[in-house]
Amino acid sequence: MRVKNIGIGLLFSILWSSASVATKFGVQSAAPLILANVRFFIAGILLLSFSYLFAKNPDYRLPTKKEWRQLALFGFLNTTLYLGLYVYAMKYTAAGIGSLAVSTNPLIIVLLSSWWLKRKPKAEEWTGIMLGMGGVAVATYPLLADSYTTVGGITLLLISMVAVSAASVYYATVKWELPNLLINGWQVFLGGVFLLPVTLGMADFGATKLDTVFWASVLWLSLAVSIVGLICWFYLLRIDTVKASLWLFLCPLFGFFFAWWLMGEPVTMYTVVGTVLVVAGLYAGQRTKFAGNKRG
């Protein structure tokens, strides 16, 4: 069982960190919003089709009126805002930085949950946040000079991180009665519906090439990341929430490796120092959880 859990944890880290590189490839062939919308609809339709047509489980039902509202808000934050902005930002951001920024989510969640729950952040949580943001800044610095990344891209990326952190805090406050597959299927599908008017109004359809690179990117993001990656994540969360978060520590390492291997992005001392700072920040920010888990 332990070997199985380690394997699933490694698979999650690899798939999750590959999203930035896959997105970077996709936006070379299509406008970011088109890539995002196609991905959302494919992932949503596949998840919902499996849930309703093949899963023989009475819990796989249509949402209630209240659940529709909850799914709509969650989908808007988690898919329309977060992934919509993230995909757009990757047009102007290095793939490695995209993966590194995603790893700061637990730190931003600390701030948002403190505000939401009226709880003052602890000293180690502030330390984690400062280390994490400092690490992103250090790793980004040389890439700004080399035109791998722009200030606008980083700004959109950080806004998307706030959006997904807000979605995570909201998700934790809701007593969900729907199965995880249905929650994920409906939220990603509804997120695509909300993004569609923006895509139709703003995206450059004339410059879009529906070539092999585009479809490989879309299918990888839909099947490997949005479906298999999230199934692995939900599995890890069911076993141990605290230990599950440890696998986020590997995402920056895999992310920079994929960016270097597949896209030729440079790995410098800034990259190494920035990654170490983010990993140290993740540990510092969640050190209390880890200690409490060991005592338990």
Side-chain angles (χ1 to χ4, degrees), residues 35-58:
L35 176 71
N37 248 137
V38 174
R39 169 193 177 181
F40 299 159
F41 284 136
I42 289 178
I45 290 170
L46 286 176
L47 282 168
L48 294 174
S49 297
F50 174 80
S51 299
Y52 288 120
L53 298 179
F54 300 103
K56 306 299 183 183
N57 190 323

Side-chain angles (χ1 to χ4, degrees), residues 85-103:
L85 288 171
Y86 179 83
V87 172
Y88 203 90
M90 291 312 300
K91 181 79 173 177
Y92 310 100
T93 308
I97 297 300
S99 179
L100 187 65
V102 169
S103 300

Side-chain angles (χ1 to χ4, degrees), residues 220-272:
W220 182 264
L221 290 167
S222 302
L223 303 178
V225 180
S226 292
I227 294 179
V228 179
L230 279 174
I231 288 174
C232 291
W233 179 242
F234 286 137
Y235 174 86
L236 295 169
L237 286 177
R238 281 200 306 270
I239 296 173
D240 191 309
T241 304
V242 175
K243 289 182 179 178
S245 65
L246 289 171
W247 294 107
L248 293 171
F249 284 47
L250 292 179
C251 289
L253 305 180
F254 282 123
F256 277 113
F257 171 75
F258 289 139
W260 166 78
W261 177 38
L262 297 173
M263 308 210 73
E265 291 186 3
V267 176
T268 65
M269 281 305 299
Y270 288 95
T271 308
V272 175

Side-chain angles (χ1 to χ4, degrees), residues 64-79:
T64 63
K65 185 177 180 179
K66 179 182 178 181
E67 289 170 336
W68 279 121
R69 291 196 297 268
Q70 294 169 337
L71 288 166
L73 179 54
F74 183 49
F76 179 75
L77 291 172
N78 195 66
T79 297

Side-chain angles (χ1 to χ4, degrees), residues 87-171:
V87 172
Y88 203 90
M90 291 312 300
K91 181 79 173 177
Y92 310 100
T93 308
I97 297 300
S99 179
L100 187 65
V102 169
S103 300
T104 65
N105 284 346
L107 308 177
I108 301 174
I109 288 171
V110 167
L111 275 183
L112 291 179
S113 61
S114 298
W115 169 76
W116 187 285
L117 301 174
K118 304 281 192 296
R119 180 184 66 84
K120 185 178 179 180
K122 299 177 181 178
E124 59 265 30
E125 293 171 339
W126 279 116
T127 301
I129 291 165
M130 297 303 294
L131 285 172
M133 295 307 171
V136 172
V138 169
T140 302
Y141 173 73
L143 297 175
L144 290 171
D146 296 334
S147 300
Y148 279 93
T149 300
T150 66
V151 174
I154 286 293
T155 302
L156 289 175
L157 192 61
L158 291 177
I159 295 172
S160 74
M161 294 304 105
V162 174
V164 70
S165 300
S168 299
V169 174
Y170 174 72
Y171 179 87

